[in-house]
Amino acid sequence: MNHIRFMPASLLAGFALPLVAAPALADFIDDSHAKVELRNHYINRDFRQSNAPQSKAEEWAQGFTVKFESGFTDGPIGVGVDAMGQLGIKLDSSRDRRGTGLLPFGPDSLEPADDYSELGLTAKLRASKSVLRLGTLQPILPVVVYNDTRLLAASFQGGLLTSQEIDGLTFNAGRLTKANLRDSSSRDDIGYGAASSDRFDFGGGTYAFTPQLNLTYYYAKLDQIYRQQFVGLVHTQPLGEGLSLRSDLRYFDSRGDGAERAGRIDNRNFNGMFTLASGAHKVSATFQQMSGDSAFPFLNGGDPYTVNLVTYNTYTRAGLDSWQLRYDYDFVALGIPGLSFMTRYTDGRHARTATVDNGRERERDTDITYVVQSGPLKNVSLRWRNVTFRSGNGLTNSLDENRLIIGYTLALW
């Protein structure tokens, strides 16, 4: 286990800014805040094939994440520091039930770890309406989205500049060099699949023409592996009487770069989601079309920024065309605040792999979530997620899965 020792804001300020006068530290301390996030996660995955390497994967674990974010010192260039400590503890698992993504396991022994932990520090500088962050990063951008679907969240190491100097435009540029995966305490070289790289460079931004319409463009390059362009358009159209239509269109063009260490990359991914909202109801329909000779590439430690990224599957194989129907309901309309329901069905066809020419994948997800509204357990969230995944033409294993997740966030100050 990596032992983590958390420091209060005053000590962090003292270490980070030993030469700054006390009056300049006022905003650094007064604007700071800290919180602890608790996540109890149970996954039971039942494989449906008789020849599957495991009959099931089943693990239960408790996660703790403490986050501290300072304000900025006064002056033309403000200085700040953020810190994040994560700890995962095994509650139940074994070598024959490993592999849910909750816990790391030994490469030789295959025994799940009893615990694992990670500490991340981020320095930040602010000038005018621009902020530079150096260290641990968890970006949510079209070309890099950190994974937060298990016990502990993934993170990256590098630098990120965010600027809003031009009204309506949010610009981001950066470089990532390391990745800390969701079930790991190590910092690995940035990469895709089994291939690694020295750096991942990216830049782009979103311009809001109106509050209802924005356009996004990004360019990214994973050195010697792939380069990628993204264009996205989001539009929300009020239709009157509490009704609205949201259109979210996304296009990626991905090609190989340099030595192409992960093999030939050749993928165009056009996908979109249309959501009709009326009061407590939301109905969504999506499409996702893959063209080119390879799967859609995205960073290890991240998730694809695509509309058909669902609970188990990503629908990013070469040639895979997929669609989804989704329904959401908020029970506040029936006088039960805090209770919500979601169900969706996603179907993909024409997938190509080295051994399959016309594979099919389909998944049904159902979520029921309740957030306690009052009493000593106020803000505790309980979620049950049920998954049925099936594949055809020998593409991959089919499975049934249940996840139970209990979460709570406590503000420390």
Side-chain angles (χ1 to χ4, degrees):
M1 170 182 172
N2 299 327
H3 296 286
I4 298 176
R5 187 177 181 180
F6 300 107
M7 296 177 286
S10 57
L11 287 180
L12 282 169
F15 286 126
L17 305 165
L19 301 178
V20 179
L25 283 172
D27 292 339
F28 179 95
I29 297 174
D30 292 344
D31 292 342
S32 71
H33 56 273
K35 62 183 179 181
V36 58
E37 300 173 357
L38 292 83
R39 183 178 296 178
N40 188 283
H41 206 136
Y42 169 78
I43 295 181
N44 183 309
R45 183 176 293 164
D46 182 12
F47 297 102
R48 308 307 297 173
Q49 271 84 359
S50 59
N51 61 345
Q54 293 178 218
S55 62
K56 69 175 180 178
E58 183 181 27
E59 294 183 306
W60 180 30
Q62 175 66 51
F64 302 87
T65 299
V66 176
K67 293 183 178 180
F68 165 81
E69 295 184 13
S70 78
F72 290 91
T73 59
D74 196 14
I77 299 181
V79 180
V81 63
D82 297 340
M84 179 178 67
Q86 298 187 100
L87 171 65
I89 299 175
K90 179 181 72 176
L91 298 178
D92 182 56
S93 184
S94 65
R95 61 181 297 169
D96 61 334
R97 293 183 285 120
R98 71 191 188 282
T100 66
L102 288 183
L103 298 165
F105 55 86
D108 298 321
S109 69
L110 304 181
E111 287 291 343
D114 290 333
D115 53 61
Y116 63 111
S117 57
E118 182 68 26
L119 174 64
L121 299 173
T122 308
K124 53 188 182 182
L125 302 173
R126 182 182 67 188
S128 184
K129 296 181 181 179
S130 299
V131 177
L132 174 65
R133 292 177 171 84
L134 300 170
T136 298
L137 303 170
Q138 293 182 317
I140 303 178
L141 301 170
V143 291
V144 52
V145 181
Y146 79 96
N147 182 283
D148 190 21
T149 61
R150 292 297 192 275
L151 194 67
L152 305 180
S155 63
F156 298 94
Q157 299 292 309
L160 171 63
L161 173 67
T162 300
S163 177
Q164 294 178 314
E165 302 293 339
I166 300 175
D167 289 344
L169 176 65
T170 299
F171 172 79
N172 291 284
R175 169 175 289 183
L176 306 178
T177 57
K178 299 288 183 180
N180 172 236
L181 306 186
R182 64 192 183 189
D183 56 351
S184 171
S185 295
S186 64
R187 291 186 175 93
D188 303 318
D189 289 338
I190 201 82
Y192 165 57
S196 62
S197 174
D198 295 328
R199 59 188 179 273
F200 176 75
D201 296 322
F202 60 92
T206 297
Y207 184 76
F209 292 95
T210 70
Q212 292 78 36
L213 176 65
N214 64 66
L215 178 67
T216 299
Y217 173 80
Y218 275 86
Y219 176 83
K221 184 174 82 166
L222 183 57
D223 190 50
Q224 304 300 315
I225 298 180
Y226 72 80
R227 49 193 168 86
Q228 190 172 77
Q229 295 188 77
F230 169 82
V231 178
L233 180 71
V234 176
H235 179 253
T236 302
Q237 179 63 53
L239 302 176
E241 298 295 330
L243 195 64
S244 67
L245 176 64
R246 186 177 190 270
S247 304
D248 184 348
L249 300 176
R250 309 174 187 183
Y251 178 76
F252 287 90
D253 187 313
S254 305
R255 315 273 177 160
D257 181 71
E260 296 188 329
R261 295 172 183 169
R264 184 167 182 251
I265 302 295
D266 175 47
N267 180 274
R268 259 70 60 207
N269 181 347
F270 183 38
N271 61 99
M273 173 180 282
F274 302 94
T275 301
L276 187 65
S278 176
H281 305 270
K282 286 184 181 179
V283 178
S284 302
T286 78
F287 70 91
Q288 188 164 299
Q289 183 180 45
M290 299 284 182
S291 59
D293 295 328
S294 74
F296 174 72
F298 55 95
L299 293 180
N300 295 338
D303 280 326
Y305 183 70
T306 54
V307 296
N308 282 347
L309 170 66
V310 288
T311 303
Y312 177 76
N313 199 24
T314 63
Y315 289 90
T316 53
R317 297 181 189 273
L320 186 63
D321 297 328
S322 56
W323 57 267
Q324 178 190 144
L325 289 177
R326 170 173 173 158
Y327 174 69
D328 293 79
Y329 184 74
D330 187 342
F331 281 83
V332 69
L334 296 179
I336 313 176
L339 181 63
S340 60
F341 170 81
M342 183 280 294
T343 187
R344 63 190 168 200
Y345 176 80
T346 311
D347 191 297
R349 307 188 185 202
H350 315 306
R352 299 194 309 272
T353 70
T355 58
V356 175
D357 187 51
N358 188 23
R360 183 183 179 188
E361 299 175 322
R362 54 196 187 277
E363 178 173 331
R364 179 198 51 77
D365 303 321
T366 301
D367 274 21
I368 297 176
T369 303
Y370 180 67
V371 179
V372 180
Q373 300 294 294
S374 61
L377 297 179
K378 183 178 180 180
N379 296 325
V380 171
S381 66
L382 303 96
R383 171 175 293 182
W384 171 51
R385 174 170 290 176
N386 177 261
V387 179
T388 299
F389 174 77
R390 297 291 183 267
S391 68
N393 297 341
L395 196 59
T396 187
N397 286 328
S398 297
L399 59 87
D400 295 330
E401 179 179 288
N402 284 284
R403 302 185 188 188
L404 299 175
I405 307 166
I406 302 174
Y408 180 66
T409 299
L410 173 65
L412 301 178
W413 70 82

